[in-house]
């Protein structure tokens, strides 16, 4: 009865943590967190060979064999701000008509709103016997949020409402003026001719934009949230100095997009691109790990989390490749921890995130979309197609270095730095207005204090300096250039209780 109650109430806490999913939204290493667990985050995310609490399973489930009977509850206050897009005033104009040669972004600075997010986490570990443990960890794996409330970013990507398409190269009729909300002309009745060759062919008769169907009228932005639940089981080997761990991984994610109406014309499923509210996706994967103490000073670790196979986002099957598929990429971790002195530990982690294996994330957005603007069958690279446009992300390598100094038995001081490779080349900048995951460096500090033999409180602060990616999207906005940018801060407090 005692054991049941001790295991049962943490599951109730986990259920509460799951209910908090709508508060999750962050991006550091691409859209993965830079670390899990307060002390790990204070050391730039190192944990593969340095288990310090029950959130170690998010990095290496084998580490749970060395954290004892314990419970962790933490909350982070995360700010991905400022973040947004600078559109330069170098729009390409058609020499014959004097109007823009195609879609463009109104020059200026677009700053995303929503500056702070609350991110809870929870972990519990139970020692079955001297060799094995079982536990649970609930944490936000990653996410992304942008909300450009001042004006729709893509308001100039479609013709003005109710315009006729009568062929390229024709001069506008006398007396017409440039449209403030579209490419060419003001709305008229009867509809005004469209003469720009880059304007999409009419989806309804010869009306290029019936009723403003392709006009962005709402604030532009996306919101992606991911929650993970892992159930790690570990078994000690090698005279108790090593352990192997396996954890079934269950995930849920939500997504919504607004202000992408002009891209409906380039989609295989136009009604499933934008402004469809929140959609949910569920899935599972596996997480494997090994941890070993070579001697009293050196420990090594390695782990691999498989791709998490998710159900599709049906409401956005016209936006993401392969009809709304959005699996979560696999992750590899290698690490070592070295006790330079009894009270000084140096740890290093290498992490590889396989973004390149997820079509919705890695497929290029630098493609000529002209064949997509047709009423007939569309090529597979159109939005929502089997090889549909993505965000152009590469796989990512992350290098983490952390230090922990214990001046006495109660206090630990921690610091760290990490660096990740660039998430996408500049020619992919356009679509990444929605996901400006540009940060490269993470600078972290923190401390932990043991108030009693059973209770410890920890604090971490992480600062990610602003980084920007400059680029163009020649196939869509011709010669117009711009840059995406982001800066971040993360403050986390946590409580650890040992039974």
């Amino acid at each position: 009865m005692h054991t049941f109650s001790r295991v049962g109430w943490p599951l109730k806490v986990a259920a509460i943590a799951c209910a908090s999913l709508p508060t999750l939204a962050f991006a550091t290493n691409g859209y993965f967190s830079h670390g899990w667990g307060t002390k790990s985050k204070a050391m730039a995310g190192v944990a593969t060979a340095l288990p310090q609490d029950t959130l170690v399973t998010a990095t290496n489930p084998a580490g749970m064999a060395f954290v004892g009977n314990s419970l962790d509850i933490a909350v982070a206050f995360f700010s991905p701000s400022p973040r947004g897009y600078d559109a330069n005033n170098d729009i390409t104009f058609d020499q014959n008509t004097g109007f823009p040669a195609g879609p463009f972004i109104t020059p200026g600075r677009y700053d995303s709103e929503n500056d702070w997010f609350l991110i809870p986490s929870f972990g519990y570990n139970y020692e079955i016997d001297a060799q094995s443990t079982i536990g649970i960890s609930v944490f936000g794996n990653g996410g992304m949020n942008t909300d450009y409330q001042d004006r729709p970013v893509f308001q100039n990507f479609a013709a003005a409402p109710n315009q006729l398409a009568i062929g390229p190269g024709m001069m506008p009729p006398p007396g017409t003026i440039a449209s403030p909300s579209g490419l060419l002309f003001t709305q008229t009745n009867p509809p005004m001719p469209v003469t720009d060759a880059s304007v999409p062919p009419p989806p309804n008769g010869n009306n290029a934009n019936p009723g403003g169907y392709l006009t962005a009228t709402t604030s532009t932005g996306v919101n992606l949230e991911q929650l993970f639940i892992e159930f790690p089981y570990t078994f000690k080997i090698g005279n108790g100095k090593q352990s192997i761990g396996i954890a079934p991984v269950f995930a849920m994610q939500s997504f919504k997009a607004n202000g992408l109406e002009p891209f409906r014309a380039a989609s295989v499923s136009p009604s499933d691109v934008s402004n469809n509210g929140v959609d949910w996706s569920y899935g599972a994967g596996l997480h494997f790990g090994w941890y070993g103490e070579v001697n009293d000073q050196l420990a090594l670790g390695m782990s691999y989390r498989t791709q998490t196979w998710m159900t599709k986002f049906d409401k956005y099957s016209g936006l993401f490749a392969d009809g709304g598929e959005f699996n979560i990429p696999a992750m590899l971790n290698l690490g070592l921890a070295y006790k330079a002195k009894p009270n000084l530990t140096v740890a290093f982690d290498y992490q590889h995130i396989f973004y390149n294996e997820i079509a919705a994330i890695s497929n290029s957005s630098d493609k000529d979309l002209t064949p997509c603007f047709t009423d007939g069958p569309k090529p597979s690279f159109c939005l929502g197609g089997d090889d549909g446009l993505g965000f152009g992300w590469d796989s990512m390598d992350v290098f983490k270095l952390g230090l922990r100094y214990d001046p006495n038995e109660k206090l630990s001081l921690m610091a760290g730095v990490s660096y990740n490779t660039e998430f996408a080349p500049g020619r992919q900048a356009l679509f990444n207005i929605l996901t400006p995951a540009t940060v490269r460096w993470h600078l972290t500090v923190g401390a932990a204090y043991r108030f009693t033999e059973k209770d410890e409180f920890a604090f971490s602060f992480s600062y990610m300096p602003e980084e920007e990616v400059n680029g163009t999207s020649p196939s869509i906005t011709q010669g117009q250039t711009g840059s995406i940018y982001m800066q971040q801060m993360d403050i986390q407090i946590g409580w650890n209780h040992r039974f």
Side-chain angles (χ1 to χ4, degrees):
M1 182 67 67
H2 175 72
T3 300
F4 175 80
S5 62
R6 206 170 84 184
V7 175
W9 72 266
L11 295 178
K12 295 179 181 179
V13 178
I16 296 173
C18 291
S20 68
L21 175 62
T23 67
L24 303 175
F26 57 97
T28 53
N29 293 326
Y31 69 79
F32 277 29
S33 176
H34 77 282
W36 296 277
T38 309
K39 288 185 280 189
S40 172
K41 293 174 76 171
M43 300 176 66
V46 295
T48 310
L50 188 64
Q52 300 186 87
D53 56 41
T54 58
L55 269 300
V56 68
T57 188
T59 305
N60 183 3
M64 294 287 268
F66 293 87
V67 299
N69 292 314
S70 57
L71 165 76
D72 289 277
I73 298 175
V75 61
F77 303 89
F78 179 74
S79 174
S81 183
R83 66 193 186 284
Y85 183 71
D86 275 322
N88 296 328
N89 190 14
D90 51 6
I91 301 167
T92 301
F93 289 87
D94 186 283
Q95 294 182 352
N96 294 323
T97 65
F99 288 95
F104 65 94
I105 295 176
T106 303
R109 185 177 178 92
Y110 295 80
D111 278 317
S112 179
E113 305 293 331
N114 297 334
D115 292 336
W116 287 95
F117 298 90
L118 184 69
I119 306 169
S121 57
F122 164 84
Y124 176 77
N125 192 53
Y126 175 70
E127 291 182 328
I128 301 173
D129 52 38
Q131 287 186 300
S132 56
T133 70
I134 192 168
I136 179 175
S137 292
V138 182
F139 55 93
N141 180 68
M144 181 66 68
N145 174 282
T146 49
D147 186 5
Y148 300 101
Q149 295 182 5
D150 290 343
R151 53 185 168 174
V153 176
F154 301 114
Q155 61 184 340
N156 293 311
F157 267 56
N162 298 327
Q163 291 182 323
L164 295 177
I166 59 176
M170 300 183 64
M171 293 297 293
T176 59
I177 60 175
S179 167
S181 61
L183 281 179
L184 299 177
F185 310 108
T186 55
Q187 180 177 349
T188 61
N189 189 13
M192 186 66 65
V194 170
T195 64
D196 194 311
S198 65
V199 173
N204 182 16
N206 65 343
N207 190 340
N209 191 3
Y213 175 73
L214 302 178
T215 302
T217 58
T218 59
S219 60
T220 307
V222 299
N223 191 47
L224 170 68
E225 302 165 346
Q226 292 181 339
L227 183 74
F228 269 39
I229 305 175
E230 292 197 10
F231 295 92
Y233 171 81
T234 70
F235 187 82
K236 286 184 177 180
I237 57 178
N239 297 322
K241 297 294 185 179
Q242 300 181 50
S243 64
I244 54 175
I246 182 171
V249 179
F250 299 95
M252 62 180 74
Q253 56 184 0
S254 68
F255 178 81
K256 70 175 180 179
N258 291 321
L260 306 182
E261 296 98 320
F263 292 98
R264 289 170 172 166
S267 173
V268 299
S269 182
S271 62
D272 299 313
V273 172
S274 184
N275 297 59
N276 291 331
V278 177
D279 198 7
W280 293 85
S281 173
Y282 308 90
L286 283 174
H287 200 171
F288 306 92
W290 169 83
Y291 169 85
E293 295 177 354
V294 178
N295 52 45
D296 291 340
Q297 289 184 289
L298 179 64
L300 303 175
M302 61 185 299
S303 70
Y304 177 75
R305 190 175 71 198
T306 68
Q307 186 175 138
T308 308
W309 293 274
M310 308 296 293
T311 58
K312 293 184 177 182
F313 284 121
D314 293 331
K315 292 183 180 179
Y316 295 94
S317 59
L319 176 62
F320 294 128
D322 197 17
E325 184 175 278
F326 203 93
N327 292 338
I328 300 171
M331 177 182 71
L332 170 71
N333 292 285
L334 304 173
L336 65 85
Y338 180 73
K339 279 192 175 184
K341 295 182 179 180
N343 64 345
L344 178 63
T345 301
V346 182
F348 174 80
D349 272 18
Y350 163 75
Q351 183 180 71
H352 185 82
I353 306 173
F354 296 82
Y355 290 121
N356 61 311
E357 295 182 352
I358 308 300
I361 303 171
S362 64
N363 283 1
S364 174
S365 63
D366 185 24
K367 296 181 180 179
D368 182 5
L369 295 181
T370 303
C372 297
F373 296 112
T374 176
D375 288 331
K378 298 185 179 184
S380 63
F381 61 78
C382 299
L383 284 169
D386 292 343
D387 192 32
L389 261 68
F391 294 93
W393 286 25
D394 295 325
S395 60
M396 180 174 287
D397 295 307
V398 188
F399 306 91
K400 309 177 183 183
L401 179 66
L403 298 173
R404 188 184 74 196
Y405 173 61
D406 303 317
N408 55 56
E409 293 181 354
K410 288 184 173 293
L411 179 65
S412 294
L413 303 176
M414 293 155 283
V417 59
S418 76
Y419 175 81
N420 58 263
T421 55
E422 189 171 71
F423 77 112
R427 287 174 69 96
Q428 308 292 336
L430 180 69
F431 247 33
N432 283 289
I433 295 172
L434 303 172
T435 58
T438 59
V439 295
R440 306 284 292 278
W441 289 94
H442 298 70
L443 309 175
T444 67
V445 294
Y449 187 78
R450 288 164 286 283
F451 282 85
T452 69
E453 291 183 0
K454 293 185 176 182
D455 294 289
E456 179 182 61
F457 290 88
F459 164 83
S460 70
F461 173 77
S462 307
Y463 172 66
M464 301 74 158
E466 181 174 315
E467 294 276 353
E468 68 176 38
V469 173
N470 299 297
T472 61
S473 183
S475 65
I476 303 178
T477 55
Q478 291 78 47
Q480 185 182 19
T481 61
S483 60
I484 53 177
Y485 57 87
M486 179 181 278
Q487 174 183 297
Q488 297 176 352
M489 286 191 300
D490 182 281
I491 302 169
Q492 180 161 312
I493 54 176
W495 168 56
N496 172 265
H497 178 76
R498 293 183 179 273
F499 297 96

